[in-house]
Structure formats: C-alpha cells, structure tokens
Amino acid sequence: MEQSFSFTAQTWHRLKKNKAALFGLAVIAIAIFLSLFGYLVAPDATPNANLQTVEIQAKNPGYKQLFLKIPYKKNNSVSWFTKLISGKAEDYRYLPITKYEVKDNSLVVNKYVDDDTSVVQIYSISQLTNHRPAKLFQQNIVTKIYYLGTDKFGRDILSRLIIGTKVSLAVGLIAVLISLVLGVALGAVAGYYRGWIDEVVMWLVNVTWSIPTLLLVFAITMALGKGFWQIFIAVGLTMWVSVARLIRGQVMAVKEMEYIQAAKVMGLSNSRIIVRHILPNILGPVLVIAASNFATAIIIEAGLSFLGIGVQPPQPSWGLMIRENYNFIITHNAILALIPGFAIMLLVLAFNLLGNGLRDAADVKSIT
C-alpha cells in the first residue's frame, strides 16, 4: 500500500491516535452544530430563547408542566433562513394549568400560580381553535418538559444554553482571528528583521502586557460601548501580545536554519521567506496558542457578561446565565447556575485538549 506523505494526511493520521484530542474535537463539533442550527433543535425557538413563564421560575431539571396554548398573533410567518438565524416569535401564549374540563362550548382551566395555588379561568373553545371543530381543542393542551429546569424568569435553560453556544463560539472565533492577524504579523516582522523594528514591537507588547487583561477589556468595552460586537473587538485586542511574543521567538530560531539561509542566497524576497518557509514550520505552536486563546476568549466573555458589561439581556450568554441564577447556589437550586458553568468548563477543556493534540500532530520534526 502506498503511504501518503502529505503534511495534512500525516497530521490527521497522528491526531486520530490522540483520544483526548478527538474527544475535544467531538465536543467542538457538537458546539458548532448547535451554534449553527440551535433554533431548529432548541425546545424554545423564540428569538433569544426568551419565552418567559414567571409562574414556573427556578424549577429543577426534568420539571413537567401542562399548558394551554392561547392564540394571540396572526400572520406571524418567517422564512426558514430567518428562523435559522434569529428564531421565530410564538403564535400562542402559554398558560400554565393544573387541570381542565369542557363545559358546553367553554374550556374551564385551573391556572397554575404556585404549588399550592390555582385560579379558575374560562375560555371559549371556538376562539382557542380559531372556529375549527371543537374536538381540535386538544391540540391546544400540551405538556412541556424542561430537561435542565427553568431560570428565575421561567425560561427554558436548555434552550438558552443551546442558543448561548453561538455567542461563545463567535466571540472566540473573532477574537482569535484578531489576535492571530496582529500577533503573527507583528511577531514575524520583529523576529525576522530585529533592530529598531523589534524594539518598537516589543515595547508595545510589554506595555500592553503590563496592563491587567480584565482592566484592559473594561477600558476597551467602555470606549466602544456594551454589546455583542464590541466584545469581539475588546477580547481580540487583549490577546495578540501572547501570540506576538511566541511568533517572535519561533521566527528568531527558524530563520537561522540552513534552508532559510539557502533561500536568502537564492534571492527570495523577505516576505516570501516569512510566508512560505518560516510560518508553515511554526504551525504547531500557532495552533496551540490559537486554541488556548479561543478558550481564554470564552472565559473572558463569560466573565464580562457575568459582571454586566458583556452580552446584554435578553440575548443568552453562558456568563449571563450564571449571573441570573447564581443566587440559587446558596438556596435550594444550585444546579441552575452550575449548568452553564459546566458548559463553559467543558468547551474550554475541549479547545485545550484539541490544541495539545494539534501541537503534537503538526510537529514537523517528529513526522516521518
């Protein structure tokens, strides 16, 4: 059998042997799927998974509730693509009930208020069914299961966890791209040319490095304002320094290799040498720092949202979900705050495991 010697094939072959890296890759793949198709799989597909039912706030995982669906909107149709991107508002108002019975052309329900209280309400069956046959009223009685419970506003935690995946991955992706573009460019130039260029770049790196990361993010966020897109830029502009320092050191080491000296003798341009001959040979460390920065960006975004200067409600964010439910840690329902915390931990762990696996798999010195 002929053996493939392509760099990509060798890297993938070695990565498949690393079980921890494959686990991280699987978790990331699931997170990507949920971020792209979350509104199609989430139980609550309303925009931002923000369907509130205050009567059932702070319920434990696995909670079941009977609901009466009351029509209150008409012509609320959206395209499939719109629903995929931002969800679809409900056509019904969901009334929590404990029991119901039919009397003539009316439906008598006991509205759920709390575990010990209910209120009797009467609804016209013809209005519930939009003047269709009365027997169809059964379609307006549904049972919902909240697999991860509800938050303090009565929203489905599972749905908000799924939709919140988009925020974490988006912040990580944009922040990593910003940090790589700035860090690789400045680090490569400083490490290759040295001299005054190196001194200027390292001065900028050291000044930025001396400012606490969270404090720098605060300053950038306050300057740009609170919001979704501002977080991308703020987090990305704080992480390029680690990339620049790493790339600078790697370039300084690689540029002394014989094949780089041969490329200079052949008359290749400096930019070609950097892009085509140096950067590909330091791909392993770049992948590791990119995965590490991705994980760091997720943590920083969660921290900012927890402090109230990140993603703003009602948009779901894992950090914001912890903020909204952390009071339950010292009461009766700590799981409501621990669930998004566990999601953050799992995704950060996945990126770190994948980064370590890519470092080993992309190490050109050990590929035979």
Side-chain angles (χ1 to χ4, degrees), residues 329-342:
I329 293 178
I330 59 176
T331 57
H332 64 289
N333 212 348
I335 192 67
L336 300 182
L338 295 179
I339 287 173
F342 177 77

Side-chain angles (χ1 to χ4, degrees), residues 125-351:
I125 292 180
S126 61
Q127 291 180 352
L128 292 176
T129 60
N130 288 323
H131 305 289
R132 292 179 297 172
K135 63 181 180 180
L136 296 180
F137 86 91
Q138 289 287 353
Q139 297 177 1
N140 292 67
I141 307 294
V142 297
T143 299
K144 284 189 176 185
I145 303 176
Y146 295 89
Y147 294 99
L148 295 182
T150 63
D151 63 11
K152 67 178 184 179
F153 299 105
R155 297 174 296 194
D156 182 26
I157 288 182
L158 174 60
S159 298
R160 290 183 64 78
L161 198 71
I162 291 174
I163 305 304
T165 307
K166 182 182 300 184
V167 173
S168 295
L169 289 184
V171 169
L173 177 62
I174 302 301
V176 165
L177 289 178
I178 293 175
S179 67
L180 287 180
V181 169
L182 292 177
V184 170
L186 294 177
V189 169
Y192 187 83
Y193 290 102
R194 302 301 303 274
W196 67 270
I197 296 179
D198 185 30
E199 293 179 358
V200 171
V201 171
M202 290 310 298
W203 176 84
L204 184 60
V205 166
N206 290 330
V207 170
T208 306
W209 199 287
S210 65
I211 305 174
T213 301
L214 202 56
L215 183 61
L216 185 59
V217 172
F218 283 167
I220 296 175
T221 303
M222 293 303 179
L224 299 177
K226 300 177 182 179
F228 189 64
W229 297 101
Q230 290 86 335
I231 290 295
F232 295 166
I233 301 174
V235 175
L237 291 178
T238 61
M239 296 194 303
W240 67 270
V241 288
S242 59
V243 179
R245 286 172 64 101
L246 174 69
I247 296 300
R248 173 181 175 271
Q250 293 290 322
V251 170
M252 288 173 59
V254 172
K255 79 169 188 175
E256 303 299 331
M257 303 294 289
E258 292 181 355
Y259 70 92
I260 299 298
Q261 300 301 322
K264 291 181 179 179
V265 172
M266 293 175 61
L268 299 182
S269 65
N270 291 329
S271 60
R272 180 181 176 87
I273 292 175
I274 293 174
V275 174
R276 298 292 299 274
H277 300 284
I278 294 181
L279 293 182
N281 286 284
I282 59 175
L283 181 62
V286 172
L287 292 175
V288 174
I289 196 68
S292 176
N293 281 352
F294 211 117
T296 302
I298 294 173
I299 295 176
I300 293 177
E301 181 278 324
L304 292 174
S305 297
F306 179 82
L307 295 173
I309 61 174
V311 173
Q312 299 299 299
Q315 190 167 25
S317 162
W318 292 348
L320 185 61
M321 291 175 65
I322 297 177
R323 173 186 173 87
E324 292 172 343
N325 298 297
Y326 77 95
N327 286 332
F328 296 118
I329 293 178
I330 59 176
T331 57
H332 64 289
N333 212 348
I335 192 67
L336 300 182
L338 295 179
I339 287 173
F342 177 77
I344 294 172
M345 182 197 72
L346 183 62
L347 191 56
V348 169
L349 175 64
F351 275 104

